[in-house]
Amino acid sequence: MPETINVNIHHLTRVEGHGNIVVDVRDGILEKCDLEIVETPRFFEAMLRGRPYQQASHITSRICGICAVGHATASLRATEHALGVEPSEQTVMLRKLAFHGEMLDSHILHAYMLIAPDFLGVGSVIPLASSAPDVVKRALRMKQLSGDLCRIIVGRHTHPIAMTVGGFTHFPSRSDLEQLRERFEAIVADVDATVELFGTLPWPSFERETEFIALVQPDEYGFIDGRIASSDGGTLPVENYRQVTNERLNPHSSAKHCAFHRDSYMVGSLARYNLKHEQLHPRAKAAAEHLGLSAPCYRPYLNSAAQVVEIAHCVDDTIMLLDKLLANGVQPEDPAPVTLTPGARGVGSCDVPRGILFHEYQIGEKGLIEEANCIIPTGQNLGNIELDMRALVPTLLEEPQEQIAHKLEMLVRAYDPCISCSTHFLNVEFVNGAEG
């Protein structure tokens, strides 16, 4: 066993944002094993103060260029709960379609372009364009369709403009929906090929039992609204999210850590799979079996396999939603009315690609936002990633240092972290004494 190991990765690649992995082993004893988050805080909650509620979804969609639809949807649901708004059935279905477009776009990006290179022996997706052009073309074809789904439903691929409080300001035509239906039916062959490809990858066997947190719904494997569920038992209304997240500061991270029943918990695709896999579409269940997934699964590297399962689920659910909308016919409709009440509070929650997301607003009688809080999935995962790293390192001490570093990078990447989005502070004192 090596007496001394020093891993110092500045900055981790193929993730969104900046994070460092620091590991020190001296005399065979693990002395330090940290995932340092070095991004600066974003202050989005402070930006929302004093702004009209109608602007909240547009401002907060800028928190993330990947989960823009997810942030906009959570923002709208928080606002709607505060203002007593009940969206129509058509609005709910259109939002689900846009959400599927974003889920597919993010999962395809992560699985093909950020994870696959680790297993295929290349440093990035760029060399794959030469060594495996059909794989790269398939990924780009699937990403194009998911982006087009978002563009047609919410006005553009990133940062939606057609979603508003209580409804939509733009509606897809019947021709738009028919063309999407035809293209999604054709993309099923690419989904099956994706499952085949990822079924051949040698997933690391490392596992560590932990708690999983996700939104659950009574009648579907959904991503918007529902109750907060824990693999340790029980469910809570989303309004009680602070009882779950319990954010705390960490000296080596500009993003807070979270914990519920244990020292940490995991959110994201693997958490959703463990908590509600029985509600997946049949093709997704078959994909899980092919990929070797069975619940409960405590292997964090298989979070990427669970994303592939959700790709199959979202494609089939998109086809089902398109069939319903085509049967009903999409009708232009005014947004549902709002009711302004002094000090009204609302919480919105969605399960975005990287896990459960919370937005909470207090809105005054003039429609201005008085308080805001946003808790991002990656921030909830950081503590669990560190505990995984601390369990993994002792099992790797016989390996060369570069192999240890690579497996730690792969572990962090498996969580699909969106580090920039995870950084926020609530109690920042400015020089004039105001708090942000």
Side-chain angles (χ1 to χ4, degrees):
M1 180 182 295
E3 291 297 313
T4 300
I5 293 174
N6 180 260
V7 175
N8 209 336
I9 301 171
H10 291 235
H11 299 110
L12 184 64
T13 60
R14 280 186 271 135
V15 299
E16 198 288 325
H18 292 157
N20 306 328
I21 295 175
V22 180
V23 175
D24 280 328
V25 177
R26 298 184 187 279
D27 300 325
I29 297 174
L30 180 62
E31 293 191 343
K32 185 174 185 179
C33 186
D34 293 342
L35 175 60
E36 298 178 344
I37 303 303
V38 294
E39 290 275 353
T40 56
R42 308 287 297 281
F43 303 116
F44 269 91
E45 290 103 334
M47 293 181 207
L48 286 171
R49 284 186 179 176
R51 309 300 299 182
Y53 72 83
Q54 297 94 332
Q55 296 180 3
S57 66
H58 299 291
I59 293 172
T60 56
S61 84
R62 269 69 180 177
I63 291 175
C64 184
I66 301 173
C67 295
V69 171
H71 277 285
T73 304
S75 174
L76 291 171
R77 295 303 290 140
T79 305
E80 289 167 353
H81 284 140
L83 303 182
V85 176
E86 192 63 38
S88 69
E89 179 184 9
Q90 176 176 284
T91 292
V92 170
M93 285 196 286
L94 289 173
R95 286 180 180 172
K96 287 181 178 178
L97 274 181
F99 214 90
H100 284 344
E102 181 169 273
M103 190 70 72
L104 288 167
D105 189 53
S106 179
H107 282 358
I108 293 162
L109 168 70
H110 185 245
Y112 271 100
M113 300 177 184
L114 305 183
I115 291 298
D118 282 323
F119 293 98
L120 301 177
V122 294
S124 74
V125 72
I126 302 300
L128 281 182
S130 298
S131 60
D134 291 343
V135 170
V136 176
K137 287 178 182 177
R138 183 196 308 142
L140 294 176
R141 193 163 52 237
M142 296 171 74
K143 273 185 60 63
Q144 177 70 57
L145 179 54
S146 58
D148 286 347
L149 174 59
C150 287
R151 177 180 55 78
I152 289 168
I153 301 300
V154 297
R156 58 187 176 191
H157 180 184
T158 306
H159 304 314
I161 54 174
M163 295 199 302
T164 191
V165 175
F168 279 77
T169 59
H170 159 85
F171 299 89
S173 68
R174 184 173 187 84
S175 174
D176 288 335
L177 298 182
E178 288 175 339
Q179 290 178 33
L180 281 173
R181 174 68 171 79
E182 184 176 339
R183 292 176 66 191
F184 267 90
E185 191 68 43
I187 211 72
V188 167
D190 284 338
V191 173
D192 292 341
T194 300
V195 174
E196 285 296 318
L197 171 65
F198 283 83
T200 66
L201 300 185
W203 301 100
S205 59
F206 169 75
E207 63 180 354
R208 183 182 68 85
E209 187 174 340
T210 190
E211 181 178 12
F212 296 99
I213 300 290
L215 282 177
V216 294
Q217 301 80 20
D219 53 356
E220 63 174 343
Y221 190 106
F223 303 101
I224 304 172
D225 296 336
R227 291 177 65 86
I228 307 167
S230 163
S231 58
D232 284 355
T235 66
L236 292 168
V238 296
E239 289 76 13
N240 294 357
Y241 73 97
R242 291 176 192 258
Q243 295 179 20
V244 176
T245 53
N246 299 300
E247 288 186 299
R248 64 181 188 273
L249 293 171
N250 191 300
H252 59 267
S253 172
S254 56
K256 295 176 181 176
H257 286 194
C258 294
F260 187 22
H261 291 114
R262 309 188 190 199
D263 292 336
S264 68
Y265 61 81
M266 181 176 184
V267 300
S269 295
L270 189 60
R272 291 191 288 264
Y273 175 80
N274 277 326
L275 284 163
K276 52 186 181 182
H277 59 95
E278 293 179 352
Q279 294 170 304
L280 288 164
H281 281 282
R283 189 190 311 279
K285 288 181 177 177
E289 184 176 358
H290 186 80
L291 292 162
L293 266 180
S294 61
C297 175
Y298 298 110
R299 296 167 60 184
Y301 289 97
L302 285 179
N303 186 55
S304 306
Q307 290 180 330
V308 173
V309 170
E310 288 188 336
I311 289 172
H313 175 80
C314 289
V315 166
D316 279 7
D317 209 57
T318 296
I319 292 172
M320 185 190 74
L321 286 166
L322 287 169
D323 283 343
K324 286 183 180 178
L325 286 166
L326 285 167
N328 296 344
V330 175
Q331 304 297 328
E333 58 185 11
D334 292 331
V338 305
T339 302
L340 289 172
T341 305
R345 301 186 74 89
V347 176
S349 183
C350 301
D351 232 319
V352 293
R354 289 154 195 82
I356 194 167
L357 164 70
F358 302 102
H359 282 220
E360 180 180 12
Y361 307 146
Q362 178 174 308
I363 301 173
E365 60 182 333
K366 294 182 179 179
L368 302 181
I369 295 175
E370 297 173 337
E371 293 181 16
N373 188 29
C374 303
I375 298 186
I376 315 300
T378 292
Q380 297 172 69
N381 271 335
L382 290 174
N384 208 65
I385 297 174
E386 280 199 343
L387 290 180
D388 277 353
M389 289 168 52
R390 290 169 187 166
L392 176 63
V393 168
T395 71
L396 304 176
L397 294 181
E398 299 293 341
E399 299 188 19
Q401 186 163 307
E402 60 269 21
Q403 287 296 322
I404 296 174
H406 185 228
K407 289 184 178 177
L408 286 170
E409 288 187 78
M410 287 178 64
L411 173 64
V412 177
R413 275 197 284 271
Y415 279 80
D416 195 7
C418 202
I419 294 172
S420 299
C421 306
S422 68
T423 54
H424 81 150
F425 287 132
L426 290 179
N427 300 313
V428 178
E429 295 186 3
F430 294 99
V431 292
N432 63 1
E435 291 187 350

